[in-house]
Amino acid sequence: RKHKWFLETLHKLGYTNTNNELIKRESLRRYQSLWLPLVYDQQQQQKGKQLLIPPPDVAWLWHCHRLAPKDYTDYIRKTFFAGTNEENIALEANPAFTFQFPPTKEEEEESTEATSKISNYNDVTDDESEVSVTTPLAIIQQTREIWNLRYPDEHFFLCTHDDENKNENEKVSASLSLPVGDFDLLASTERQATFLWQVSGERFDDMEFLQEGEENYHRFLQLKPLAYKSRVILVPTYQIDLMWHTHILSSLTDYNKDCRRISGSTLHHDDSLTDRSDGGILDRSYNATKDLWKKEYGADYAVEGGMYRGEPPLVFFDAKWNSDDYSQTAGCNFHLVGRMGASSTSQSITRWATKADNTSDGKPAFIPTNTTNRYDLKTLERKDDYVLGKEIEGTGFWHNETREFHTILRKRVQRQIQKTESDIAMQSCCGGGNRPAVIELQKELDKLYDTRDLLIDRVCASKPNSKLKTRTRRSNNSDGILYTDATGMWYYPPELYNSSGGACGGITATTGGGCGGSACGGGGG
């Protein structure tokens, strides 16, 4: 409830839905270049017991960054703790779910005691509606004093009106690298901005419903070992997701300890999957989670009032939006209301699928064929997400979550490279020096080299969708040949299959095209 009130207050103040790019970038500068270094210094001085309350724009970015705990921790480690053996590297928000209210214009002019106001859901009256927004003045004043001492030329609150530093700060903000480490924090704030809508249904004000959510969240954590074994990406209901967010944001240190105690390892939170199309990875993963839950607990996974509400209506993006108006309906995706879970997921696939495994969406990783005869194999139809080929483990259809899938494509691309190199030699030597033809063949060869390098990187990756090292590009292909989106999901467009010889269809993230015998040359490895 404290968490939800924190989101509602930021929403009313207009910090979660701003479309002003300069304001977003300036807040990012303040968070990345000012606030985190300040917290780090205080943590070192206070031995992890620092008490700091951020301004609201910083609080929102910090909130969203910590909701990607692995990316957040990796960034903190590389930025502040590189080369050390320090264990406590979380840089916690302490106290959690708080921020300082910016003074009103009247308070600024009158220099009144606005500094005592923060968003701190400490006390709820019997009618559960009145919230205390005061905290010991000492913490607020201490935070301001530390800030002013460290940054005498920087406003504590986000300054949107003209001042002597505004132009210079905007230059710095505009030049700032938008990914914080490897994480696109501003993109995450846009995704998280609608989370409040999803957890503002009537039942989220019901204490029994929230207590049930806490119990279901514990069960959700207990599913992790089974999900890992079954290679299922876990997708929570929104009832569970609110508890998951709250657990992470309350204390990353405690969250990691609790996860290890309950499920053996940390359950990494990922909000990057937003495709709610039928058959998409989010849809498939939710259905796989639902089946796993039914198998393990013998109960239905969906919970009334705790599922996807559709996308928010336009009125939601107004700061005056009333969260208590339960008559509001979704802006779109009406057909999915109550049928799907949250867009949060456990971290993507954690290992390659082997021959005997199922894939993350429940498909067999390997489908053997009844024949190994090359000519019979050529008559087989393609299967989406699979390539037909021969590897040591067997001849058949290998899914794109297996290493064998990428090895087969790499071998085929290598054969295409050899053929194209031979064609170039023939054109140069025996084709009368047909320069235009040689130029076109060389362009095609450069793309094949890029594709081969991509597939080598994928074969060597620790798991599907791993972040790959960037290679020098031979081809000047505006579309690129990496076939990886901003979230790190691997794409398999037709060109990737076509490069290996043959035409195959389909294009989606980690799904799509497939190779059958007639399309891709049968059982060649």
Side-chain angles (χ1 to χ4, degrees), residues 101-118:
F101 273 93
T104 64
K105 289 182 179 180
E106 292 77 11
E107 288 170 334
E108 278 187 324
E109 292 169 359
E110 297 174 8
S111 297
T112 59
E113 201 63 35
T115 55
S116 64
K117 294 174 62 179
I118 71 161

Side-chain angles (χ1 to χ4, degrees), residues 329-356:
T329 57
C332 61
N333 285 354
F334 303 100
H335 64 295
L336 298 177
V337 173
R339 290 180 45 214
M340 293 191 72
S343 58
S344 297
T345 63
S346 60
Q347 193 182 26
S348 299
I349 307 158
T350 54
R351 63 180 177 87
W352 288 103
T354 61
K355 179 180 178 179

Side-chain angles (χ1 to χ4, degrees), residues 404-419:
E404 288 82 357
F405 173 97
H406 299 86
T407 300
I408 291 167
L409 284 186
R410 180 187 61 77
K411 291 177 181 178
R412 291 178 180 169
V413 169
Q414 185 60 44
R415 289 199 290 269
Q416 287 294 107
I417 287 174
Q418 293 170 350
K419 179 180 181 303

Side-chain angles (χ1 to χ4, degrees), residues 55-75:
D57 62 316
V58 166
W60 173 235
L61 288 170
W62 202 10
H63 171 97
C64 295
H65 201 181
R66 287 179 294 124
L67 279 176
K70 186 177 187 305
D71 289 290
Y72 176 72
T73 304
D74 286 349
Y75 175 76

Side-chain angles (χ1 to χ4, degrees), residues 300-317:
D300 291 336
Y301 187 49
V303 56
E304 184 180 351
M307 308 301 292
Y308 178 60
R309 297 182 70 199
E311 292 306 296
L314 287 178
V315 66
F316 169 79
F317 299 97

Side-chain angles (χ1 to χ4, degrees), residues 352 452-462 468-471 482 490:
W352 288 103
R452 180 194 61 187
D453 290 347
L454 165 73
L455 290 167
I456 289 173
D457 282 348
R458 290 189 177 182
V459 168
C460 295
S462 60
L468 305 178
K469 61 183 178 181
T470 303
R471 289 177 176 266
L482 287 176
W490 291 359

